[in-house]
Each structure stands twice: as structure tokens, then as C-alpha cells.
Amino acid sequence: MGLIEQAAKRLEELKRAGVEVPVAGDVATSNATVVAEPAVPSVPERAVRSRAEAQGPFRDRPPVAQEAATSAASVPQVGPEEPQRRSRLVEIDLQRLAAAGYVTPTAPRSRLADELRVIKRPLISNAQGRSAAPVRAANRIMITSAVPGEGKTFMAVNLAISVAMELDSTVLLIDADVARPAIPDRLGIASEMGLLDLLTRSDLDVADVMLRTNIDRLTFLGAGTPHSRATELLASEGMERLVEELASRYPDRILVFDAPPLLSSTESRVLATHMGQVVVVVEADRTPQARVTQALATIEDCPVVMTILNKIERSEAGSYYGYYGGYGSYGQ
Ligand SMILES: Nc1ncnc2c1ncn2[C@@H]1O[C@H](COP(=O)(O)OP(=O)(O)OP(=O)(O)O)[C@@H](O)[C@H]1O
Ligand SMILES: [Mg+2]
């Protein structure tokens, strides 16, 4: 069965299970180059487990950090008995970001923003438990790809900002590409401590290293201080506990992980096992179909997997359907 048939079959399965998936016809066309392809999900029984069950052993743990209850714009309410922990605020240059091709709250109308809207709608709906069948750990979304350079970081940053621009969605963007972190550069911010520090130092609290940003409802957790065992740490049990903690401590928050490629090393596949939704970015006309199939096979246990065709050259309105039909044969 070709990729397109597999995708269509699984899309049907997913729809029958009540999980929200993007509707191909909704996707705007532009040379902004991001298009949602049909989801290629597996629909194991896990997809219908309750969210509370999925939240695991940390679910009853009360929020301890002040950051948990505040958005970038709000004023901290630190009581006398509460810890004085408050995340640092960083200023993203929104003009620079927009000039680099990213969606920003100051320029919300663009083709890219429209396309991101189509992609994020099912992700948010699943994350907020609004799809007919609840998806396990659906507020944990990982962005990955088969091989390097397909647009993971571009997509992760855009998706996180785009979701944060929704009125009721708060987002934690996490740089989980710990060996080659790229997000601080893209956002034009300095980020020293982060994920790796949380994994190696018990004295640190998430709020100590998380950064609030001048984009409302968007916080950022950097990769942290470079470590010789960075990739092992990402695949460690400590990371699993940290993901559980982040997801349960901020249950109303959507976590967006910028992850390493699936086929370059194993840690991304391990990370995927802690996720409810995985977005696989596929660079159009570059990544061989066999590599995509191979990459998708490594994460087939994830409840929802969405593939996104990136960097599409489109010459005319409506050509999206041509790409949809050609999905099974690109890159050969
Ligand atoms: N849709 C797009 N439109 C314009 N530029 C893009 C798009 N997607 C990716 N790029 C650019 O392509 C380059 C590679 O993208 P990016 O760094 O996001 O890929 P990556 O998958 O994160 O790479 P790596 O595997 O090295 O982490 C970057 O310069 C990025 O800005
Ligand atoms: Mg990257």
C-alpha cells in the first residue's frame, strides 16, 4: 500500500475513533510553504484512555511555581508564604522575527498564519480534550522530521506562537534538540539554563529556568547548559519524569517540543513515547519517501501523528490538491 493510501486509511480510522484531524480542503495555498497533510495516525486503545489517567503519578502534585499561574502580561501574586520564584522575562524582537518569515502577534494576518491555523486547530482541539475521543497526553506535542534540516524549528516556533495567539491557549515551547539548540537564535534571545540543567541539578525548579516572553501566553524552556551526555539525558528516565511533571503541573498548557530528527539518533524516538501528538515535518521534493516511511514506523505507537509537507513550491491557487495527490511519490 502506498503512503497516500496508508494515510487515507489511517485518517479514516482516526476519524472513526473521533480524533480531530486537519481537513485537507481547509488548507490555504501560498508560497509560505507550510501545508498540512492528512494525519498518519495509529489508533491504538491508548487513544481512548482518559486524560487524568494519562497524567500519571504527578497529577495530584500542586503547582509550586508562581510562573504556573501567570501569563507574560500579568502581575505576580506572591504571598508571604509562597516561594519568590518567578521566571525571567525576555524580550523577543517581533519586527525581526516577522522579517525572518515567522508569524507574530503584531502581524497576525498572513498566508502562513492562515495555514498554521489549519494545522493547529486539530492539535489544540485534541490537546484541550475537545475531540470526540480523548487522546492520551494530547497537550504534549513534538515536532520532528525524518532527517535534519526539514524545518522542525521553523515549524515549532511558528506553531507555538500561533497557538499562543489563540485567546485561551497558553504554550510552553521547549528546545529539546539539546545537541543543536536553535530556538534562542531564531527568537533573538539569550537562554543559558534550561532542560539539561533541570535533568542534572535537583536544586533547580522549572520556574528558575523557564523564560516568559513578551508574546502573551508564550513561555520558553531552552536546551540548557551544553552537556557531554546531552542526548543520553534526553532519552533518560529523568526526562520522562520531567515531561510528566511539566505536563501535569501545567495541565491547561500546550507543550511544544522542538525535537531532533527521528532517523539520526534514537533519543527523539524515546521522547516520542512520552508525547500525545507528533508532527512530522517533511521537506517537499527532498526527503525520500522510504525515509519518511521509516521515520513514521519508529513512532507508530504515538496516538496522533500528523505529517506536514514543508517548503512546497506552489505556482497557482488550489495546487495543494496536486501535492496531496502526489504525496506518495515525492523525493524518489
Ligand atoms: N516554510 C519555510 N519557509 C521559509 N523558510 C523555512 C521554512 N521551513 C524552514 N525554513 C528555513 O530552512 C532552514 C532549515 O529549517 P529549520 O532550522 O527549521 O530546520 P530543522 O529541521 O530544525 O533543522 P535541524 O535538523 O538542523 O534542526 C532554516 O533557515 C529555516 O528558517
Ligand atoms: Mg532545528
Side-chain angles (χ1 to χ4, degrees):
M1 196 187 295
L3 255 190
I4 189 72
E5 287 85 5
Q6 281 179 37
K9 181 166 169 274
R10 288 187 167 179
L11 182 65
E12 263 317 303
E13 285 173 354
L14 196 70
K15 277 184 181 157
R16 273 203 298 275
V19 174
E20 279 253 9
V21 292
V23 180
D26 284 353
V27 177
T29 58
S30 78
N31 56 8
T33 67
V34 181
V35 163
E37 278 293 321
V40 187
S42 55
V43 194
E45 321 72 75
R46 274 186 316 288
V48 291
R49 275 171 42 181
S50 76
R51 239 172 136 207
E53 181 193 349
Q55 283 174 0
F58 292 89
R59 66 178 178 274
D60 296 320
R61 183 170 165 171
V64 291
Q66 189 59 26
E67 193 280 337
T70 56
S71 75
S74 60
V75 177
Q77 305 291 314
V78 180
E81 71 292 337
E82 290 176 296
Q84 291 283 337
R85 282 182 153 149
R86 176 119 169 98
S87 304
R88 187 158 67 87
L89 173 67
V90 290
E91 187 82 16
I92 299 168
D93 182 341
L94 299 179
Q95 266 188 335
R96 173 186 175 276
L97 199 61
Y102 289 80
V103 67
T104 65
T106 43
R109 302 296 321 172
S110 67
R111 277 270 169 83
L112 176 60
D114 287 342
E115 291 175 341
L116 286 164
R117 205 162 289 128
V118 176
I119 294 163
K120 75 182 174 181
R121 198 183 300 147
L123 293 172
I124 293 178
S125 183
N126 291 332
Q128 295 183 336
R130 286 192 272 111
S131 52
V135 176
R136 169 184 66 93
N139 69 330
R140 310 172 198 177
I141 302 172
M142 173 174 131
I143 317 297
T144 186
S145 62
V147 295
E150 300 198 67
K152 295 177 295 297
T153 303
F154 182 86
M155 175 56 61
V157 169
N158 271 312
L159 196 62
I161 294 174
S162 177
V163 172
M165 282 160 53
E166 292 263 328
L167 285 181
D168 58 350
S169 299
T170 53
V171 183
L172 172 59
L173 173 63
I174 299 160
D175 199 339
D177 199 348
V178 288
R180 303 179 333 126
I183 295 178
D185 231 35
R186 301 287 164 90
L187 297 179
I189 59 172
S191 164
E192 284 116 33
M193 291 207 292
L195 209 52
L196 292 173
D197 302 278
L198 289 172
L199 292 171
T200 50
R201 285 179 49 182
S202 57
D203 59 313
L204 284 177
D205 184 87
V206 176
D208 297 332
V209 296
M210 195 184 279
L211 300 174
R212 292 175 300 123
T213 75
N214 53 323
I215 296 178
D216 274 357
R217 296 176 295 279
L218 178 70
T219 46
F220 172 62
L221 179 59
T225 312
H227 194 285
S228 57
R229 291 179 47 246
T231 53
E232 288 96 320
L233 285 168
L234 193 68
S236 67
E237 280 179 23
M239 182 64 188
E240 179 177 1
R241 283 195 296 275
L242 180 60
V243 172
E244 290 287 348
E245 180 179 352
L246 289 170
S248 53
R249 186 155 140 179
Y250 310 114
D252 60 340
R253 182 169 301 193
I254 292 175
L255 312 183
V256 177
F257 294 81
D258 180 15
L262 288 164
L263 298 182
S264 307
S265 55
T266 53
E267 69 273 8
S268 201
R269 302 176 214 170
V270 176
L271 193 59
T273 63
H274 315 317
M275 299 292 138
Q277 307 193 77
V278 175
V279 175
V280 180
V281 181
V282 177
E283 185 170 347
D285 298 322
R286 189 177 76 101
T287 316
Q289 182 187 331
R291 302 293 276 165
V292 179
T293 308
Q294 203 183 342
L296 292 174
T298 66
I299 50 169
E300 61 188 8
D301 283 343
C302 184
V304 174
V305 177
M306 184 196 289
T307 55
I308 290 176
L309 209 48
N310 192 21
K311 304 188 189 177
I312 294 173
E313 296 285 339
R314 271 167 293 179
S315 54
E316 59 187 68
S319 62
Y320 167 73
Y321 293 101
Y323 283 96
Y324 178 88
Y327 183 76
S329 59
Y330 65 84
Q332 287 299 312

